[in-house]
């Protein structure tokens, strides 16, 4: 029976391998990844017109001269002069505050009391007696008495507060008082008189046109710029199988030391990427980059920080000439801790450092 099961298992594995078009004649203990051949590009210089030739018109303003003239600024006339009124001060007495009453409140008073309330009515329960010692029956229910025993009622005493004397008021008279103020009273009303005002003259300056505005046409030549464009030489996309180290198929740590709260790659981190990751990517495989944080800080800020760190590694690899289609970057924040150091758990700095990690693994490039 075991041989039949093993044969069926090998047949299933062979069917899966055939369905996935796996490489022929693989070596035992080796790992393979399916990749696409990269596209080959070359640079060409192209000169383009970035600004056309055009006609520019230069204008010149009109020319003027200044002329001074004497003119009438204000005609002669008359002015009415007001002779002010004569006033005197009088004192007036008035009631500033009228008589009234003041009410005082006598608060209500209370006495303690209590009331007994029946919380459970009297009842009765059936109870069975012990078996008589001289009973000869083997039935355990024989030779027993059933008694209907009363259960007394239950009461509770509730403390109360009763009104002894209700609130009332007493009235106390509050006398008013008088004040005085002063007011001005006109003794003599105001009058007017006429005063003659002479004319006023002044000098004005006016601008006289000497020469009107004119224009001049100037031809501005076109501008050109040389740009470099990428031209496809060989189209990629052919599927091939590449042999990779088996441990690279799983998440492999990049021993990058991130500064606290920072997503900026240090020079040491860049050297690690150059030595550990660039040689693998030059073979044309695709790599998934994953970044994680410890549990300190909010989940939202840790998620954002891990995504920025994964993106920083991805951007650096692209700057080193890696095709973006070979890279996938994801941040997982504090969702995939490697130890017990979740929120609220006291841990050492070394334990927290184990969760602050960036890893990579080889994946199929599609």
């Amino acid at each position: 029976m075991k041989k039949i099961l093993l044969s069926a298992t090998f047949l299933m594995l062979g069917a899966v391998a055939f369905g996935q078009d796996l490489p022929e004649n693989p070596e035992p203990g080796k790992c393979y990844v399916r990749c696409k051949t990269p596209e080959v590009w070359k640079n060409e210089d192209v000169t383009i017109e970035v600004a056309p030739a055009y006609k520019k018109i230069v204008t010149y303003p009109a020319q003027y001269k200044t002329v001074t003239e004497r003119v009438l600024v204000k005609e002669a006339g008359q002015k009415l002069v007001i002779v002010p009124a004569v006033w005197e001060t009088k004192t007036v007495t008035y009631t500033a505050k009228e008589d009234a009453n003041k009410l005082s409140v006598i608060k209500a008073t209370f006495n303690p009391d209590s009331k007994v309330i029946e919380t459970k009515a009297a009842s009765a329960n059936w109870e069975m007696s012990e078996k008589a010692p001289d009973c000869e029956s083997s039935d355990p229910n024989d030779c027993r008495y059933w008694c209907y025993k009363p259960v007394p009622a239950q009461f509770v005493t509730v403390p109360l507060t009763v009104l002894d004397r209700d609130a009332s008021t007493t009235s106390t008279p509050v006398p008013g008082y008088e004040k005085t103020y002063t007011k001005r009273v006109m003794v003599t009303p105001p009058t007017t008189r006429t005063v003659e005002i002479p004319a006023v003259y002044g000098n004005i300056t006016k601008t006289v046109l000497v020469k009107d505005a004119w224009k001049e046409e100037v031809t501005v030549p076109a501008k050109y710029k040389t740009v470099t464009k990428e031209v496809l030489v060989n189209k990629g996309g052919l599927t091939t199988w590449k042999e990779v180290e088996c441990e690279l198929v799983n998440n492999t740590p990049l021993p990058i030391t991130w500064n606290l709260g920072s997503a900026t790659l240090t020079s040491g981190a860049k050297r690690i990427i150059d030595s550990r990751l660039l040689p693998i990517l030059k073979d044309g495989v695709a790599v998934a980059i994953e970044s994680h944080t410890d549990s300190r800080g909010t989940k939202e800020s840790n998620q954002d920080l891990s995504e920025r760190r994964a993106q920083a590694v991805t951007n650096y690899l692209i700057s080193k000439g890696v095709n973006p289609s070979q890279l996938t970057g994801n941040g997982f924040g504090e969702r995939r801790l490697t130890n017990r150091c979740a929120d609220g758990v006291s841990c050492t700095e070394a334990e927290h450092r184990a969760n602050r990690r960036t890893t990579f693994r080889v994946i199929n490039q599609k």
Side-chain angles (χ1 to χ4, degrees):
M1 184 62 181
K2 180 182 287 188
K3 291 182 178 180
I4 295 174
L5 290 175
L6 288 174
S7 299
T9 302
F10 287 134
L11 287 173
M12 291 176 64
L13 290 173
V16 172
F18 181 80
Q20 293 185 357
D21 191 23
L22 292 175
E24 298 179 357
N25 303 320
E27 296 184 30
K30 297 290 185 179
C31 292
Y32 299 85
V33 64
R34 184 168 55 191
C35 305
K36 289 183 179 180
T37 55
E39 296 176 338
V40 179
W41 299 79
K42 71 175 183 179
N43 294 335
E44 286 187 358
D45 291 336
V46 179
T47 301
I48 59 173
E49 183 183 70
V50 295
Y54 64 96
K55 181 173 64 177
K56 181 179 180 181
I57 299 177
V58 180
T59 60
Y60 298 91
Q63 297 177 359
Y64 299 87
K65 70 177 180 178
T66 302
V67 179
T68 302
E69 293 182 359
R70 181 177 174 82
V71 295
L72 178 65
V73 177
K74 185 177 182 182
E75 293 182 350
Q78 293 181 337
K79 180 176 72 171
L80 289 177
V81 178
I82 298 175
V83 180
V86 178
W87 301 80
E88 69 178 14
T89 301
K90 287 187 177 181
T91 302
V92 180
T93 303
Y94 68 98
T95 301
K97 183 178 181 182
E98 296 183 347
D99 296 340
N101 291 307
K102 180 181 179 182
L103 295 177
S104 300
V105 178
I106 302 174
K107 294 183 180 179
T109 58
F110 303 89
N111 291 326
D113 199 357
S114 63
K115 186 175 182 179
V116 179
I117 299 175
E118 183 182 61
T119 59
K120 186 174 183 182
S123 61
N125 291 328
W126 284 103
E127 292 186 3
M128 186 172 64
S129 67
E130 295 293 331
K131 187 175 180 180
D134 56 349
C135 182
E136 298 179 356
S137 174
S138 60
D139 190 338
N141 294 319
D142 289 346
C143 305
R144 293 175 181 266
Y145 296 98
W146 286 90
C147 299
Y148 194 55
K149 292 187 177 183
V151 179
Q154 296 181 7
F155 299 88
V156 65
T157 301
V158 180
L160 302 175
T161 300
V162 296
L163 181 65
D164 177 36
R165 184 178 64 186
D166 209 348
S168 61
T169 59
T170 59
S171 177
T172 304
V174 179
Y177 55 88
E178 294 182 342
K179 286 185 176 181
T180 61
Y181 68 93
T182 59
K183 69 176 181 179
R184 297 186 68 197
V185 181
M186 186 170 61
V187 177
T188 303
T191 58
T192 61
R193 61 186 177 88
T194 302
V195 177
E196 295 295 331
I197 301 174
V200 178
Y201 294 87
N203 295 328
I204 63 168
T205 301
K206 66 179 181 180
T207 303
V208 180
L209 180 65
V210 177
K211 182 179 179 181
D212 203 357
W214 74 97
K215 66 179 181 179
E216 181 181 357
E217 294 184 358
V218 178
T219 301
V220 179
K223 294 182 180 179
Y224 297 89
K225 183 178 181 179
T226 301
V227 296
T228 303
K229 69 175 183 178
E230 289 185 322
V231 179
L232 182 63
V233 178
N234 292 321
K235 187 176 181 180
L238 299 177
T239 302
T240 60
W241 285 96
K242 292 184 179 294
E243 179 184 325
V244 297
E245 299 178 20
C246 289
E247 60 267 18
L248 297 181
V249 179
N250 302 317
N251 277 325
T252 302
L254 271 175
I256 296 176
T257 301
W258 296 98
N259 291 328
L260 189 61
S262 172
T264 301
L265 288 170
T266 63
S267 57
K270 292 178 181 179
R271 287 194 295 271
I272 292 173
I273 295 173
D274 292 343
S275 62
R276 297 287 298 275
L277 206 48
L278 272 179
I280 299 172
L281 290 164
K282 288 181 179 179
D283 290 336
V285 300
V287 169
I289 298 165
E290 300 176 357
S291 191
H292 309 265
T293 68
D294 58 33
S295 62
R296 293 178 293 187
T298 65
K299 288 182 172 60
E300 293 77 11
S301 62
N302 285 335
Q303 179 64 32
D304 177 70
L305 179 60
S306 64
E307 290 175 359
R308 288 190 289 116
R309 287 175 173 174
Q311 191 62 46
V313 177
T314 301
N315 292 342
Y316 176 71
L317 289 169
I318 294 174
S319 72
K320 301 292 284 187
V322 177
N323 194 317
S325 64
Q326 295 177 249
L327 302 172
T328 301
N330 291 298
F332 295 93
E334 57 181 272
R335 289 180 290 164
R336 297 183 178 180
L337 300 176
T338 60
N339 51 32
R340 60 185 182 85
C341 298
D343 290 339
V345 178
S346 178
C347 292
T348 63
E349 184 60 33
E351 290 174 318
H352 283 303
R353 192 183 305 115
N355 290 316
R356 296 197 305 270
R357 64 198 188 280
T358 299
T359 62
F360 71 92
R361 58 186 173 86
V362 174
I363 57 175
N364 289 347
Q365 184 175 346
K366 297 180 180 180

